[in-house]
Amino acid sequence: MASRPSFADLPLRAGDPPYSAWGLWGLDDELGTLSETLKNLLTDDVVATAAREEIKTGVRISLDWPLDKLQPPGFGRQAFHQQLIAKPPRTVNDDVITINTQSSSQWDGLRHFAYQREKLFYGGRSMEDFHSPRATKVNGIQAMANRGIIGRGVLIDHVSYCLKHKKSFSFQSGRSIPLSEVQAAATSQNLSFRPGDILFIRSGFTAMYEAASPEERVELAQPNPPTYSGVETGEKFARWIWEMQFAAVAGDAPSFEAWPPKISPSLHEILLSGWGCPIGELFDLEALAAHCQATSRWSFFLASVPLKNPGGAASPPNAIAIL
């Protein structure tokens, strides 16, 4: 097993984009931080240990929001549509669904967001690698689907932290959640981290959205690009993610980081295109947070298998927490 370089060593090669780790998991790698080629990430032993230690009661909680949320979606995305098709003379139905894979709960894959200045995706791939006559399925979501995003999940409940400390929070303000608050919330929960953990941060967006009126939902989606609150972007938060050795990160807001980002490169650039680290958004964390609060236990076994869509840029997570 190779050792993991320090954050200060990034990028690993002269001329590569800022903070990138291209080549660390192999020149043709399509899994990034999900790879098992580095000790203590998502190896078979790490996953098996998580299953043994985290599955205690058998309680299962879905982390997928319904496919028909958001309505309407932001970022100019197409809304979910289902067509239920009767098949007479038999008493049978089929259905056809049309979705943007990022209009509800999602994993952003490695074709989603490039380094914007360099116009390069994870491993140095370009738009031509995806859209030209020589295009292949490289960096598609199918690579993640083949292995799944499976291991020890950890939940940081920023909502409860804000309530406890009487901090206000607006989802349309573009306010950044400081790293210091994320760390303080984890400390208050007595939550410790292990290499290979899958990080979830609850901001309360899905609960807010469920309580909003139809008019408020339309207003939320109208700006393009929209303004959403999320974790702070930039080097400091990226360094923490790298040093904690998270295999993937996720939240319940439309953007994991505050959007639009005010610093370049953004976390989307560094995580997705620099490290091949999946970013999850719009996860439904409400039932999980309630259970964790009731049991004073903030870790769980996560099983998530994205759609095996060759060449896909993102996917619903098909995620479940088992406790």
Side-chain angles (χ1 to χ4, degrees):
M1 295 282 187
S3 61
R4 185 182 180 91
S6 70
F7 186 82
D9 292 330
L10 303 179
L12 298 180
R13 305 180 307 194
D16 282 354
Y19 313 116
S20 63
W22 295 354
L24 180 60
W25 293 283
L27 296 178
D28 297 322
D29 176 65
E30 298 179 57
L31 286 171
T33 55
L34 299 181
S35 174
E36 65 172 346
T37 58
L38 277 185
K39 186 178 182 181
N40 291 331
L41 289 179
L42 289 184
T43 65
D44 292 346
D45 286 345
V46 168
V47 175
T49 298
R52 285 193 306 270
E53 295 184 356
E54 299 299 331
I55 301 176
K56 300 179 184 297
T57 65
V59 170
R60 290 143 294 169
I61 301 173
S62 172
L63 304 184
D64 283 33
W65 213 16
L67 287 172
D68 61 356
K69 306 290 177 68
L70 308 161
Q71 288 283 13
F75 297 96
R77 288 170 175 151
Q78 181 177 345
F80 172 86
H81 176 72
Q82 180 199 37
Q83 180 184 9
L84 188 65
I85 304 169
K87 306 293 289 285
R90 297 174 299 159
T91 308
V92 173
N93 290 296
D94 286 355
D95 63 353
V96 175
I97 63 172
T98 303
I99 61 170
N100 182 304
T101 53
Q102 296 175 81
S103 62
S104 184
S105 302
Q106 70 200 253
W107 285 115
D108 289 347
L110 307 190
R111 285 184 161 211
H112 171 49
F113 205 95
Y115 277 103
Q116 296 300 291
R117 186 181 67 183
E118 294 82 357
K119 302 185 186 303
L120 294 174
F121 295 84
Y122 180 63
R125 282 90 182 199
S126 67
M127 289 291 273
E128 288 70 28
D129 292 313
F130 308 153
H131 292 280
S132 71
R134 62 182 177 83
T136 66
K137 305 301 183 184
V138 66
N139 277 17
I141 200 78
Q142 76 281 352
M144 296 182 188
N146 284 335
R147 293 179 52 82
I149 301 174
I150 298 171
R152 181 180 185 254
V154 290
L155 175 64
I156 295 177
D157 191 348
H158 185 253
V159 178
S160 295
Y161 174 85
C162 286
L163 291 173
K164 180 179 179 181
H165 295 276
K166 297 181 172 56
K167 292 178 177 288
S168 61
F169 191 76
S170 170
F171 291 100
Q172 289 177 278
S173 67
R175 175 185 181 271
S176 295
I177 301 173
L179 175 60
S180 60
E181 290 186 8
V182 172
Q183 293 172 318
T187 299
S188 71
Q189 297 170 200
N190 294 315
L191 179 60
S192 59
F193 305 117
R194 304 174 186 172
D197 279 353
I198 300 157
L199 173 69
F200 290 84
I201 299 176
R202 176 182 175 238
S203 69
F205 176 87
T206 57
M208 179 279 295
Y209 190 89
E210 295 285 5
S213 68
E215 294 76 19
E216 289 170 328
R217 294 178 182 184
V218 170
E219 182 182 352
L220 188 66
Q222 278 180 341
N224 191 15
T227 300
Y228 293 127
S229 294
V231 304
E232 67 173 291
T233 194
E235 177 184 340
K236 184 165 65 173
F237 212 99
R239 177 188 296 273
W240 181 70
I241 291 172
W242 180 264
E243 291 177 349
M244 294 299 101
Q245 300 188 49
F246 294 123
V249 300
D252 58 355
S255 177
F256 179 72
E257 64 190 306
W259 202 265
K262 298 178 175 63
I263 297 175
S264 180
S266 66
L267 287 181
H268 270 66
E269 293 172 86
I270 298 170
L271 270 62
L272 293 174
S273 288
W275 306 343
C277 176
I279 297 175
E281 292 158 338
L282 292 171
F283 276 66
D284 183 0
L285 303 177
E286 293 305 298
L288 176 63
H291 183 86
C292 290
Q293 186 75 47
T295 59
S296 298
R297 179 182 163 205
W298 299 94
S299 61
F300 52 92
F301 185 77
L302 175 77
S304 175
V305 182
L307 297 177
K308 194 175 286 189
N309 176 20
S315 172
N318 300 309
I320 193 162
I322 309 175
L323 296 105

